Amino acid sequence: MAILEAQNLWKTFGRTAVLKNIDLTLEKGQALSIIGSSGSGKTTLLRCLNFLEQPDKGIIRVNGETLFDAADPSTQSEASIRKKRLHFGLVFQSFNLFPQYTALENVMLAPKLLAAEQPNFKAGKKEIYARIEAQAKELLNQMGLSSRMANYPHQLSGGQCQRVAIARALALHPDILCFDEPTSALDPELTGEVLRVIRELADQNTTMIIVTHEMAFARDVADHVIFMDEGVIVEQGDPEEVFENPREERTKQFLSRYKQG
Ligand SMILES: Nc1ncnc2c1ncn2[C@@H]1O[C@H](COP(=O)(O)OP(=O)(O)O)[C@@H](O)[C@H]1O
Ligand SMILES: [Mg+2]
């Protein structure tokens, strides 16, 4: 069964339709890359899938459950949206770490807040916090940051900050990890270290959506690629196929622009 299914998503800002009839499916354990020019609607699509933006039309299902249906107001209550967002982990271009917290504290913050909302929290607080700390340390280890846990964001490179942000997104055990241009704010020499950890996550069958302008990476890391232009999915398929033999003229033009740099 598909872990994520979107049907006929539409989103309009003012009079401009930014997403038009988007259908997509993501299987558990797969990585999907989304490519396309700036302004083609990639971020808006991610924001709609993550319930940060409400589509005007369409249906979103996670694990077979309808979490959003534009035609069914009972799926749109503010109260339920926070819970629905927990299905998704988000990593943005700009890290968004809290500057006053260490790397470790940044990773522990959301799990702690969430734990505090559970019944019986008070009685088990010590053990719960210990478990959250152990998990956060393990994630930071996995990101190659074992010696950096006590550092504040200003003491870390951009690549290290982004790896903290990835650990933070993983700390809530999302079903789907979403990246929106995770290396666009980084110097070229730091891009590789971030792409490397994303690739490792893909090798471990982490379910992911990756919006990126790194074409070689989009091709290598993903099981499936989508090319968007002006709010529509122009072409999608096996990355090898789409990059080697694009069927649509617009895809060809886009890819050849990239080859020229
Ligand atoms: N909150 C918003 N209000 C109005 N227009 C928006 C908003 N967010 C995005 N847009 C517009 O939607 C289009 C798609 O933007 P975006 O999804 O950010 O594209 P991409 O991520 O592919 O660069 C752009 O024309 C952008 O100006
Ligand atoms: Mg964008």
Side-chain angles (χ1 to χ4, degrees):
M1 185 179 59
I3 198 160
L4 174 67
E5 239 186 312
Q7 279 173 7
N8 191 27
L9 290 186
W10 288 74
K11 179 70 189 173
T12 300
F13 290 119
R15 287 200 202 137
T16 315
V18 172
L19 297 179
K20 303 167 210 166
N21 189 24
I22 299 286
D23 288 316
L24 66 81
T25 304
L26 181 60
E27 301 292 329
K28 192 173 163 63
Q30 298 228 304
L32 165 68
S33 54
I34 302 179
I35 57 172
S37 309
S38 193
S40 56
K42 305 180 300 297
T43 294
T44 305
L45 174 57
L46 277 189
R47 290 176 59 82
C48 284
L49 294 173
N50 300 168
F51 311 105
L52 291 168
E53 208 72 75
Q54 179 165 320
D56 304 319
K57 226 169 122 178
I59 294 176
I60 299 169
R61 289 196 193 91
V62 175
N63 290 320
E65 185 189 350
T66 301
L67 296 189
F68 176 82
D69 181 348
D72 178 359
S74 75
T75 64
Q76 296 161 24
S77 80
E78 274 296 323
S80 67
I81 287 201
R82 243 189 96 223
K83 198 167 151 237
K84 293 175 188 176
R85 280 199 193 121
L86 292 174
H87 290 285
F88 297 89
L90 305 182
V91 177
F92 304 100
Q93 186 174 324
S94 53
F95 332 135
N96 299 335
L97 299 178
F98 287 103
Q100 73 274 35
Y101 293 135
T102 65
L104 183 62
E105 287 163 351
N106 265 282
V107 179
M108 294 195 303
L109 187 63
K112 275 184 165 177
L113 291 173
L114 203 65
E117 291 172 10
Q118 303 305 314
N120 304 325
F121 166 69
K122 280 210 174 113
K125 183 171 170 178
K126 235 176 126 185
E127 292 78 39
I128 293 168
Y129 275 5
R131 209 173 326 127
I132 288 172
E133 183 170 336
Q135 187 214 226
K137 285 180 171 167
E138 194 184 316
L139 285 168
L140 286 167
N141 271 329
Q142 196 187 336
M143 294 297 128
L145 294 169
S146 40
S147 64
R148 293 298 193 166
M149 297 191 196
N151 287 145
Y152 291 87
H154 77 269
Q155 301 170 311
L156 302 173
S157 72
Q160 290 167 336
C161 283
Q162 191 59 305
R163 286 184 280 146
V164 174
I166 296 171
R168 178 182 58 181
L170 288 167
L172 290 175
H173 307 290
D175 291 309
I176 302 156
L177 190 57
C178 298
F179 296 89
D180 193 357
E181 301 195 26
T183 60
S184 293
L186 300 178
D187 294 335
E189 69 267 27
L190 298 177
T191 293
E193 67 182 57
V194 171
L195 296 185
R196 211 152 36 241
V197 302
I198 302 175
R199 202 181 296 265
E200 275 168 24
L201 292 170
D203 290 343
Q204 294 157 15
N205 295 327
T206 308
T207 313
M208 297 193 286
I209 304 178
I210 307 157
V211 171
T212 182
H213 289 292
E214 298 284 336
M215 289 302 134
F217 182 70
R219 172 184 169 154
D220 295 345
V221 79
D223 301 286
H224 194 81
V225 64
I226 281 177
F227 167 60
M228 284 183 72
D229 192 30
E230 297 184 343
V232 298
I233 295 178
V234 173
E235 181 161 358
Q236 61 176 310
D238 180 67
E240 201 72 23
E241 279 290 308
V242 172
F243 280 91
E244 284 303 316
N245 293 307
R247 279 172 281 125
E248 302 292 331
E249 197 50 41
R250 278 196 271 176
T251 320
K252 283 178 200 166
Q253 282 172 9
F254 173 78
L255 291 174
S256 71
R257 274 206 301 281
Y258 262 91
K259 275 178 194 142
Q260 287 158 14

